Amino acid sequence: MSDLLERLRGRGWRMTAQRRVVAEVLDGDHVHLTADEVHARAVAKLPEISRATVYNTLGELVTLGEVLEVATDKRAKRYDPNAHRPHHHLVCAQCGAIRDVHPTGNPMADLPDSERFGFTVSDVEVTYRGVCPNCAAA
Amino acid sequence: MSDLLERLRGRGWRMTAQRRVVAEVLDGDHVHLTADEVHARAVAKLPEISRATVYNTLGELVTLGEVLEVATDKRAKRYDPNAHRPHHHLVCAQCGAIRDVHPTGNPMADLPDSERFGFTVSDVEVTYRGVCPNCAAA
DNA sequence: GCTCGAATTGGACTGAGTCCAGTGTGACTC
DNA sequence: GAGTCACACTGGACTCAGTCCAATTCGAGC
């Protein structure tokens, strides 16, 4: 994670306590927090941090490509720090749990030119939906 | 489209002017309106229709499987009447335009058991992102 | 035509996210 | 180590999408 901070500093980011805290909160695998959850965890480490700052910082991390925005179909966007390794998502339709997955195959190659409508296609996002073991047991 | 109305009547739907108007608005290929757009078009045909009714009706159409909810990453959900033929979406990252696409390949088969984390996977959704010809020209 | 339960209304409410003017503070310079 | 200043942060008001609810209306079976 400290390499993230390094990279950010290298990009001319002014390092502030708030940004450091947000970066620390977004650490680990299978982490997919909403902005509010990030805020809640950040407040635990730095009580004065404001919601607006969390949104700003997340937005910057996304435009820098260090964090991915994941729009499952729940209301709130989620933020995924695992941006350095391409992956897709498996979402529980009941509880909303999210896992990172790595399907075989290359969906990019599966879209014939005739189906591109003149678009310059740059990215694919695959979302598997199902029911997680916890919810299936309940 | 009138077959949609037929199917709905067959399912015991009480046929009201409001529901008919919403069903009429959602007609055609590559139609992906937000709830507010549906409401605006419905109002043009039936001025007294309320937002709540449009939301209710869209929600019912979704649970009946006659219409799909599409969550691109814009704020508002979009509604896709083309639910009878499986397809995926190609979204313009700049203007938000959406096209229905039919990739070859079967992404469902591309997710090995080891990557399913015990989930019962029932559905896949593939979203291609890129830039549409209009935005590329601008 | 009557009846009754389902559908509609519209206005208040919620939750997620954005905006902005004023204040604070990293980091560069000396 | 102090001074400077542009960039970052704050918090409160605001927007926008969507939900809720009590009162009213209305479709369709009799």
mmCIF file with all atom_site columns, all heavy atoms in Angstrom, chain A residues 102-121:
data_model
loop_
_atom_site.group_PDB
_atom_site.id
_atom_site.type_symbol
_atom_site.label_atom_id
_atom_site.label_alt_id
_atom_site.label_comp_id
_atom_site.label_asym_id
_atom_site.label_entity_id
_atom_site.label_seq_id
_atom_site.pdbx_PDB_ins_code
_atom_site.Cartn_x
_atom_site.Cartn_y
_atom_site.Cartn_z
_atom_site.occupancy
_atom_site.B_iso_or_equiv
_atom_site.pdbx_formal_charge
_atom_site.auth_seq_id
_atom_site.auth_comp_id
_atom_site.auth_asym_id
_atom_site.auth_atom_id
_atom_site.pdbx_PDB_model_num
ATOM 1   N N   . HIS A 1 102 ? -11.582 -13.886 -11.918 1.00 0.00 ? 102 HIS A N   1
ATOM 2   C CA  . HIS A 1 102 ? -10.716 -13.818 -13.103 1.00 0.00 ? 102 HIS A CA  1
ATOM 3   C C   . HIS A 1 102 ? -11.154 -14.872 -14.101 1.00 0.00 ? 102 HIS A C   1
ATOM 4   O O   . HIS A 1 102 ? -10.602 -15.964 -14.120 1.00 0.00 ? 102 HIS A O   1
ATOM 5   C CB  . HIS A 1 102 ? -9.254  -14.039 -12.700 1.00 0.00 ? 102 HIS A CB  1
ATOM 6   C CG  . HIS A 1 102 ? -8.809  -13.087 -11.643 1.00 0.00 ? 102 HIS A CG  1
ATOM 7   N ND1 . HIS A 1 102 ? -9.043  -13.283 -10.296 1.00 0.00 ? 102 HIS A ND1 1
ATOM 8   C CD2 . HIS A 1 102 ? -8.172  -11.888 -11.724 1.00 0.00 ? 102 HIS A CD2 1
ATOM 9   C CE1 . HIS A 1 102 ? -8.565  -12.260 -9.607  1.00 0.00 ? 102 HIS A CE1 1
ATOM 10  N NE2 . HIS A 1 102 ? -8.023  -11.404 -10.440 1.00 0.00 ? 102 HIS A NE2 1
ATOM 11  N N   . PRO A 1 103 ? -12.155 -14.560 -14.931 1.00 0.00 ? 103 PRO A N   1
ATOM 12  C CA  . PRO A 1 103 ? -12.637 -15.546 -15.906 1.00 0.00 ? 103 PRO A CA  1
ATOM 13  C C   . PRO A 1 103 ? -11.543 -15.816 -16.934 1.00 0.00 ? 103 PRO A C   1
ATOM 14  O O   . PRO A 1 103 ? -10.689 -14.960 -17.189 1.00 0.00 ? 103 PRO A O   1
ATOM 15  C CB  . PRO A 1 103 ? -13.815 -14.851 -16.584 1.00 0.00 ? 103 PRO A CB  1
ATOM 16  C CG  . PRO A 1 103 ? -14.057 -13.583 -15.843 1.00 0.00 ? 103 PRO A CG  1
ATOM 17  C CD  . PRO A 1 103 ? -12.833 -13.266 -15.076 1.00 0.00 ? 103 PRO A CD  1
ATOM 18  N N   . THR A 1 104 ? -11.601 -17.012 -17.508 1.00 0.00 ? 104 THR A N   1
ATOM 19  C CA  . THR A 1 104 ? -10.766 -17.280 -18.672 1.00 0.00 ? 104 THR A CA  1
ATOM 20  C C   . THR A 1 104 ? -11.460 -16.616 -19.859 1.00 0.00 ? 104 THR A C   1
ATOM 21  O O   . THR A 1 104 ? -12.564 -16.108 -19.734 1.00 0.00 ? 104 THR A O   1
ATOM 22  C CB  . THR A 1 104 ? -10.699 -18.794 -18.934 1.00 0.00 ? 104 THR A CB  1
ATOM 23  O OG1 . THR A 1 104 ? -12.025 -19.263 -19.198 1.00 0.00 ? 104 THR A OG1 1
ATOM 24  C CG2 . THR A 1 104 ? -10.157 -19.525 -17.716 1.00 0.00 ? 104 THR A CG2 1
ATOM 25  N N   . GLY A 1 105 ? -10.815 -16.630 -21.024 1.00 0.00 ? 105 GLY A N   1
ATOM 26  C CA  . GLY A 1 105 ? -11.471 -16.055 -22.196 1.00 0.00 ? 105 GLY A CA  1
ATOM 27  C C   . GLY A 1 105 ? -11.270 -14.556 -22.264 1.00 0.00 ? 105 GLY A C   1
ATOM 28  O O   . GLY A 1 105 ? -10.865 -13.927 -21.293 1.00 0.00 ? 105 GLY A O   1
ATOM 29  N N   . ASN A 1 106 ? -11.555 -13.990 -23.416 1.00 0.00 ? 106 ASN A N   1
ATOM 30  C CA  . ASN A 1 106 ? -11.314 -12.570 -23.648 1.00 0.00 ? 106 ASN A CA  1
ATOM 31  C C   . ASN A 1 106 ? -12.541 -11.945 -24.280 1.00 0.00 ? 106 ASN A C   1
ATOM 32  O O   . ASN A 1 106 ? -12.694 -11.931 -25.490 1.00 0.00 ? 106 ASN A O   1
ATOM 33  C CB  . ASN A 1 106 ? -10.093 -12.424 -24.567 1.00 0.00 ? 106 ASN A CB  1
ATOM 34  C CG  . ASN A 1 106 ? -9.862  -10.962 -24.910 1.00 0.00 ? 106 ASN A CG  1
ATOM 35  O OD1 . ASN A 1 106 ? -10.442 -10.079 -24.283 1.00 0.00 ? 106 ASN A OD1 1
ATOM 36  N ND2 . ASN A 1 106 ? -9.042  -10.730 -25.910 1.00 0.00 ? 106 ASN A ND2 1
ATOM 37  N N   . PRO A 1 107 ? -13.424 -11.418 -23.457 1.00 0.00 ? 107 PRO A N   1
ATOM 38  C CA  . PRO A 1 107 ? -14.701 -10.893 -23.959 1.00 0.00 ? 107 PRO A CA  1
ATOM 39  C C   . PRO A 1 107 ? -14.495 -9.803  -24.998 1.00 0.00 ? 107 PRO A C   1
ATOM 40  O O   . PRO A 1 107 ? -15.336 -9.607  -25.872 1.00 0.00 ? 107 PRO A O   1
ATOM 41  C CB  . PRO A 1 107 ? -15.376 -10.340 -22.703 1.00 0.00 ? 107 PRO A CB  1
ATOM 42  C CG  . PRO A 1 107 ? -14.345 -10.291 -21.640 1.00 0.00 ? 107 PRO A CG  1
ATOM 43  C CD  . PRO A 1 107 ? -13.295 -11.268 -22.000 1.00 0.00 ? 107 PRO A CD  1
ATOM 44  N N   . MET A 1 108 ? -13.371 -9.113  -24.921 1.00 0.00 ? 108 MET A N   1
ATOM 45  C CA  . MET A 1 108 ? -13.074 -8.052  -25.881 1.00 0.00 ? 108 MET A CA  1
ATOM 46  C C   . MET A 1 108 ? -13.076 -8.609  -27.300 1.00 0.00 ? 108 MET A C   1
ATOM 47  O O   . MET A 1 108 ? -13.563 -7.957  -28.222 1.00 0.00 ? 108 MET A O   1
ATOM 48  C CB  . MET A 1 108 ? -11.702 -7.494  -25.549 1.00 0.00 ? 108 MET A CB  1
ATOM 49  C CG  . MET A 1 108 ? -11.508 -6.084  -25.984 1.00 0.00 ? 108 MET A CG  1
ATOM 50  S SD  . MET A 1 108 ? -12.732 -4.982  -25.237 1.00 0.00 ? 108 MET A SD  1
ATOM 51  C CE  . MET A 1 108 ? -11.967 -3.444  -25.723 1.00 0.00 ? 108 MET A CE  1
ATOM 52  N N   . ALA A 1 109 ? -12.507 -9.823  -27.436 1.00 0.00 ? 109 ALA A N   1
ATOM 53  C CA  . ALA A 1 109 ? -12.411 -10.440 -28.772 1.00 0.00 ? 109 ALA A CA  1
ATOM 54  C C   . ALA A 1 109 ? -13.766 -10.975 -29.238 1.00 0.00 ? 109 ALA A C   1
ATOM 55  O O   . ALA A 1 109 ? -13.931 -11.312 -30.407 1.00 0.00 ? 109 ALA A O   1
ATOM 56  C CB  . ALA A 1 109 ? -11.391 -11.568 -28.739 1.00 0.00 ? 109 ALA A CB  1
ATOM 57  N N   . ASP A 1 110 ? -14.713 -11.059 -28.338 1.00 0.00 ? 110 ASP A N   1
ATOM 58  C CA  . ASP A 1 110 ? -16.015 -11.653 -28.669 1.00 0.00 ? 110 ASP A CA  1
ATOM 59  C C   . ASP A 1 110 ? -16.986 -10.660 -29.287 1.00 0.00 ? 110 ASP A C   1
ATOM 60  O O   . ASP A 1 110 ? -18.117 -11.017 -29.603 1.00 0.00 ? 110 ASP A O   1
ATOM 61  C CB  . ASP A 1 110 ? -16.666 -12.250 -27.411 1.00 0.00 ? 110 ASP A CB  1
ATOM 62  C CG  . ASP A 1 110 ? -15.947 -13.511 -26.959 1.00 0.00 ? 110 ASP A CG  1
ATOM 63  O OD1 . ASP A 1 110 ? -15.162 -14.055 -27.760 1.00 0.00 ? 110 ASP A OD1 1
ATOM 64  O OD2 . ASP A 1 110 ? -16.177 -13.934 -25.813 1.00 0.00 ? 110 ASP A OD2 1
ATOM 65  N N   . LEU A 1 111 ? -16.560 -9.404  -29.433 1.00 0.00 ? 111 LEU A N   1
ATOM 66  C CA  . LEU A 1 111 ? -17.479 -8.421  -29.996 1.00 0.00 ? 111 LEU A CA  1
ATOM 67  C C   . LEU A 1 111 ? -17.079 -8.125  -31.438 1.00 0.00 ? 111 LEU A C   1
ATOM 68  O O   . LEU A 1 111 ? -16.134 -7.395  -31.701 1.00 0.00 ? 111 LEU A O   1
ATOM 69  C CB  . LEU A 1 111 ? -17.438 -7.129  -29.174 1.00 0.00 ? 111 LEU A CB  1
ATOM 70  C CG  . LEU A 1 111 ? -18.553 -6.133  -29.510 1.00 0.00 ? 111 LEU A CG  1
ATOM 71  C CD1 . LEU A 1 111 ? -19.915 -6.695  -29.151 1.00 0.00 ? 111 LEU A CD1 1
ATOM 72  C CD2 . LEU A 1 111 ? -18.327 -4.817  -28.795 1.00 0.00 ? 111 LEU A CD2 1
ATOM 73  N N   . PRO A 1 112 ? -17.793 -8.726  -32.408 1.00 0.00 ? 112 PRO A N   1
ATOM 74  C CA  . PRO A 1 112 ? -17.432 -8.545  -33.818 1.00 0.00 ? 112 PRO A CA  1
ATOM 75  C C   . PRO A 1 112 ? -17.567 -7.083  -34.241 1.00 0.00 ? 112 PRO A C   1
ATOM 76  O O   . PRO A 1 112 ? -18.331 -6.323  -33.637 1.00 0.00 ? 112 PRO A O   1
ATOM 77  C CB  . PRO A 1 112 ? -18.454 -9.416  -34.559 1.00 0.00 ? 112 PRO A CB  1
ATOM 78  C CG  . PRO A 1 112 ? -19.524 -9.728  -33.583 1.00 0.00 ? 112 PRO A CG  1
ATOM 79  C CD  . PRO A 1 112 ? -18.980 -9.560  -32.210 1.00 0.00 ? 112 PRO A CD  1
ATOM 80  N N   . ASP A 1 113 ? -16.826 -6.725  -35.284 1.00 0.00 ? 113 ASP A N   1
ATOM 81  C CA  . ASP A 1 113 ? -16.881 -5.352  -35.782 1.00 0.00 ? 113 ASP A CA  1
ATOM 82  C C   . ASP A 1 113 ? -18.301 -4.918  -36.111 1.00 0.00 ? 113 ASP A C   1
ATOM 83  O O   . ASP A 1 113 ? -18.681 -3.775  -35.855 1.00 0.00 ? 113 ASP A O   1
ATOM 84  C CB  . ASP A 1 113 ? -16.035 -5.244  -37.063 1.00 0.00 ? 113 ASP A CB  1
ATOM 85  C CG  . ASP A 1 113 ? -14.597 -4.874  -36.728 1.00 0.00 ? 113 ASP A CG  1
ATOM 86  O OD1 . ASP A 1 113 ? -14.325 -4.654  -35.530 1.00 0.00 ? 113 ASP A OD1 1
ATOM 87  O OD2 . ASP A 1 113 ? -13.765 -4.813  -37.644 1.00 0.00 ? 113 ASP A OD2 1
ATOM 88  N N   . SER A 1 114 ? -19.071 -5.876  -36.660 1.00 0.00 ? 114 SER A N   1
ATOM 89  C CA  . SER A 1 114 ? -20.425 -5.524  -37.072 1.00 0.00 ? 114 SER A CA  1
ATOM 90  C C   . SER A 1 114 ? -21.285 -5.115  -35.887 1.00 0.00 ? 114 SER A C   1
ATOM 91  O O   . SER A 1 114 ? -22.341 -4.515  -36.043 1.00 0.00 ? 114 SER A O   1
ATOM 92  C CB  . SER A 1 114 ? -21.067 -6.726  -37.761 1.00 0.00 ? 114 SER A CB  1
ATOM 93  O OG  . SER A 1 114 ? -21.139 -7.806  -36.846 1.00 0.00 ? 114 SER A OG  1
ATOM 94  N N   . GLU A 1 115 ? -20.817 -5.449  -34.684 1.00 0.00 ? 115 GLU A N   1
ATOM 95  C CA  . GLU A 1 115 ? -21.600 -5.126  -33.488 1.00 0.00 ? 115 GLU A CA  1
ATOM 96  C C   . GLU A 1 115 ? -20.996 -3.939  -32.729 1.00 0.00 ? 115 GLU A C   1
ATOM 97  O O   . GLU A 1 115 ? -21.331 -3.707  -31.575 1.00 0.00 ? 115 GLU A O   1
ATOM 98  C CB  . GLU A 1 115 ? -21.627 -6.345  -32.559 1.00 0.00 ? 115 GLU A CB  1
ATOM 99  C CG  . GLU A 1 115 ? -22.543 -7.450  -33.035 1.00 0.00 ? 115 GLU A CG  1
ATOM 100 C CD  . GLU A 1 115 ? -23.993 -7.169  -32.671 1.00 0.00 ? 115 GLU A CD  1
ATOM 101 O OE1 . GLU A 1 115 ? -24.307 -7.174  -31.480 1.00 0.00 ? 115 GLU A OE1 1
ATOM 102 O OE2 . GLU A 1 115 ? -24.811 -6.924  -33.590 1.00 0.00 ? 115 GLU A OE2 1
ATOM 103 N N   . ARG A 1 116 ? -20.084 -3.219  -33.386 1.00 0.00 ? 116 ARG A N   1
ATOM 104 C CA  . ARG A 1 116 ? -19.436 -2.120  -32.659 1.00 0.00 ? 116 ARG A CA  1
ATOM 105 C C   . ARG A 1 116 ? -20.011 -0.757  -33.012 1.00 0.00 ? 116 ARG A C   1
ATOM 106 O O   . ARG A 1 116 ? -19.655 0.248   -32.400 1.00 0.00 ? 116 ARG A O   1
ATOM 107 C CB  . ARG A 1 116 ? -17.930 -2.146  -32.892 1.00 0.00 ? 116 ARG A CB  1
ATOM 108 C CG  . ARG A 1 116 ? -17.315 -3.399  -32.324 1.00 0.00 ? 116 ARG A CG  1
ATOM 109 C CD  . ARG A 1 116 ? -15.822 -3.355  -32.229 1.00 0.00 ? 116 ARG A CD  1
ATOM 110 N NE  . ARG A 1 116 ? -15.364 -4.638  -31.670 1.00 0.00 ? 116 ARG A NE  1
ATOM 111 C CZ  . ARG A 1 116 ? -14.256 -4.773  -30.958 1.00 0.00 ? 116 ARG A CZ  1
ATOM 112 N NH1 . ARG A 1 116 ? -13.479 -3.742  -30.724 1.00 0.00 ? 116 ARG A NH1 1
ATOM 113 N NH2 . ARG A 1 116 ? -13.923 -5.955  -30.468 1.00 0.00 ? 116 ARG A NH2 1
ATOM 114 N N   . PHE A 1 117 ? -20.855 -0.681  -34.025 1.00 0.00 ? 117 PHE A N   1
ATOM 115 C CA  . PHE A 1 117 ? -21.560 0.559   -34.368 1.00 0.00 ? 117 PHE A CA  1
ATOM 116 C C   . PHE A 1 117 ? -20.625 1.756   -34.482 1.00 0.00 ? 117 PHE A C   1
ATOM 117 O O   . PHE A 1 117 ? -20.995 2.867   -34.116 1.00 0.00 ? 117 PHE A O   1
ATOM 118 C CB  . PHE A 1 117 ? -22.640 0.850   -33.324 1.00 0.00 ? 117 PHE A CB  1
ATOM 119 C CG  . PHE A 1 117 ? -23.675 -0.235  -33.229 1.00 0.00 ? 117 PHE A CG  1
ATOM 120 C CD1 . PHE A 1 117 ? -23.572 -1.222  -32.251 1.00 0.00 ? 117 PHE A CD1 1
ATOM 121 C CD2 . PHE A 1 117 ? -24.731 -0.286  -34.127 1.00 0.00 ? 117 PHE A CD2 1
ATOM 122 C CE1 . PHE A 1 117 ? -24.532 -2.230  -32.171 1.00 0.00 ? 117 PHE A CE1 1
ATOM 123 C CE2 . PHE A 1 117 ? -25.686 -1.295  -34.045 1.00 0.00 ? 117 PHE A CE2 1
ATOM 124 C CZ  . PHE A 1 117 ? -25.586 -2.270  -33.063 1.00 0.00 ? 117 PHE A CZ  1
ATOM 125 N N   . GLY A 1 118 ? -19.399 1.502   -34.947 1.00 0.00 ? 118 GLY A N   1
ATOM 126 C CA  . GLY A 1 118 ? -18.459 2.608   -35.133 1.00 0.00 ? 118 GLY A CA  1
ATOM 127 C C   . GLY A 1 118 ? -17.802 3.102   -33.850 1.00 0.00 ? 118 GLY A C   1
ATOM 128 O O   . GLY A 1 118 ? -17.022 4.046   -33.872 1.00 0.00 ? 118 GLY A O   1
ATOM 129 N N   . PHE A 1 119 ? -18.121 2.466   -32.718 1.00 0.00 ? 119 PHE A N   1
ATOM 130 C CA  . PHE A 1 119 ? -17.502 2.869   -31.455 1.00 0.00 ? 119 PHE A CA  1
ATOM 131 C C   . PHE A 1 119 ? -16.024 2.465   -31.430 1.00 0.00 ? 119 PHE A C   1
ATOM 132 O O   . PHE A 1 119 ? -15.638 1.463   -32.031 1.00 0.00 ? 119 PHE A O   1
ATOM 133 C CB  . PHE A 1 119 ? -18.164 2.157   -30.280 1.00 0.00 ? 119 PHE A CB  1
ATOM 134 C CG  . PHE A 1 119 ? -19.464 2.747   -29.799 1.00 0.00 ? 119 PHE A CG  1
ATOM 135 C CD1 . PHE A 1 119 ? -20.518 2.971   -30.678 1.00 0.00 ? 119 PHE A CD1 1
ATOM 136 C CD2 . PHE A 1 119 ? -19.643 3.040   -28.450 1.00 0.00 ? 119 PHE A CD2 1
ATOM 137 C CE1 . PHE A 1 119 ? -21.732 3.476   -30.220 1.00 0.00 ? 119 PHE A CE1 1
ATOM 138 C CE2 . PHE A 1 119 ? -20.854 3.550   -27.987 1.00 0.00 ? 119 PHE A CE2 1
ATOM 139 C CZ  . PHE A 1 119 ? -21.898 3.772   -28.868 1.00 0.00 ? 119 PHE A CZ  1
ATOM 140 N N   . THR A 1 120 ? -15.205 3.219   -30.746 1.00 0.00 ? 120 THR A N   1
ATOM 141 C CA  . THR A 1 120 ? -13.867 2.788   -30.384 1.00 0.00 ? 120 THR A CA  1
ATOM 142 C C   . THR A 1 120 ? -13.974 2.151   -29.003 1.00 0.00 ? 120 THR A C   1
ATOM 143 O O   . THR A 1 120 ? -14.099 2.849   -28.000 1.00 0.00 ? 120 THR A O   1
ATOM 144 C CB  . THR A 1 120 ? -12.918 3.991   -30.292 1.00 0.00 ? 120 THR A CB  1
ATOM 145 O OG1 . THR A 1 120 ? -13.035 4.733   -31.501 1.00 0.00 ? 120 THR A OG1 1
ATOM 146 C CG2 . THR A 1 120 ? -11.485 3.528   -30.098 1.00 0.00 ? 120 THR A CG2 1
ATOM 147 N N   . VAL A 1 121 ? -13.943 0.823   -28.973 1.00 0.00 ? 121 VAL A N   1
ATOM 148 C CA  . VAL A 1 121 ? -14.193 0.136   -27.703 1.00 0.00 ? 121 VAL A CA  1
ATOM 149 C C   . VAL A 1 121 ? -12.884 -0.007  -26.940 1.00 0.00 ? 121 VAL A C   1
ATOM 150 O O   . VAL A 1 121 ? -11.880 -0.448  -27.486 1.00 0.00 ? 121 VAL A O   1
ATOM 151 C CB  . VAL A 1 121 ? -14.795 -1.254  -27.959 1.00 0.00 ? 121 VAL A CB  1
ATOM 152 C CG1 . VAL A 1 121 ? -15.093 -1.946  -26.643 1.00 0.00 ? 121 VAL A CG1 1
ATOM 153 C CG2 . VAL A 1 121 ? -16.064 -1.138  -28.788 1.00 0.00 ? 121 VAL A CG2 1
#
